[in-house]
Amino acid sequence: VHCRSSGMTRVCFNAFGEDDPDAPEEPLTFEGHTAQVIGCSFSPDARYVISSSVDQTVRMWDTKTSKNVLTMEGHEGPVFACAYSRDGRHFVSTSADATVRMWKSQTGEHVRTLSGHVGSIFACTYSPDNRKVATAAQDNSVIIWDAETGDQ
C-alpha cells in the first residue's frame, strides 16, 4: 500500500501476523521514495520488502525496523515492478525505459540488464525453480528470460 503525506511518498503496511506479540500497534511506514510507489515484493523470509517507484529507484526495506537498507539506481524511467527470486538471492525490476534489471539481494549490486521489449515493462515474476523470469510489457508481449544468462 502507498500513501501521500507532506509531499513525501511513504510505503505503509503491517508485516506482522495478527497474533504476533512483536507487532506494532500501527502499520510500519517506510519513507524515502520521492515519487509515487508503484510496486513491491516481499523477500521469501519476509525480512525485507523491495519497492519500485516513479523516482526511478528500487528500495529495500527492513520489515522489523522500517529502515531503508539499500537503494538501487540505474533505470532511466519510472520503475513499475519488482520481484524477488524464490530463493531470495536476487530480484528484478522493470521500467518505462524498456529494460529489466537483475540485482543481488545481499548487496544491491547490479548483475545484468535485459533488453527485448519495446516500451514500458509493467510486470515481472520468477519461475518457482528460479531458472526463468517472465516480464509483460506495453508492446503486448510476454518474454521468458533465462535468469542465469539473460537469454530469451
Side-chain angles (χ1 to χ4, degrees), residues 7 13 26-27 41 48 52-53 55 57-58 67 71 85 104 122 124 126 135 138:
F13 74 94
E26 297 294 322
S41 177
Y48 300 102
S52 54
S53 173
D55 69 9
T57 67
V58 178
K67 294 200 184 306
T71 300
S85 61
K104 287 186 180 179
F122 296 116
C124 56
Y126 272 86
T135 56
Q138 181 180 15

Side-chain angles (χ1 to χ4, degrees), residues 88-118:
R89 294 178 53 223
H90 295 94
F91 60 88
V92 292
S93 56
T94 65
S95 174
D97 67 8
T99 66
V100 181
R101 287 182 162 258
M102 184 177 287
W103 312 88
K104 287 186 180 179
S105 298
Q106 295 241 335
T107 63
E109 177 186 343
H110 175 246
V111 176
R112 72 177 51 86
T113 300
L114 310 175
S115 299
H117 284 290
V118 177

Side-chain angles (χ1 to χ4, degrees), residues 1 17 28-29 35 46 65 69 75 96 112 115 117 129 135-136 142:
V1 175
L28 292 174
T29 300
T65 67
V69 294
H75 281 292
R112 72 177 51 86
S115 299
H117 284 290
D129 64 3
T135 56
V142 172

Side-chain angles (χ1 to χ4, degrees), residues 13-18 20-29:
F13 74 94
N14 190 343
F16 299 84
E18 226 175 87
D20 189 334
D22 296 327
E25 289 185 26
E26 297 294 322
L28 292 174
T29 300

Side-chain angles (χ1 to χ4, degrees), residues 135-147:
T135 56
Q138 181 180 15
D139 61 7
N140 303 325
S141 71
V142 172
I143 295 178
I144 307 294
W145 310 86
D146 183 297

Side-chain angles (χ1 to χ4, degrees), residues 2 5-7 16 24 46 60 64 70 74 79 111 113 119 121 123 134 136 138 150:
H2 73 274
S5 173
S6 304
F16 299 84
M60 182 183 292
K64 297 292 184 184
L70 292 171
V79 184
V111 176
T113 300
I121 306 170
Q138 181 180 15

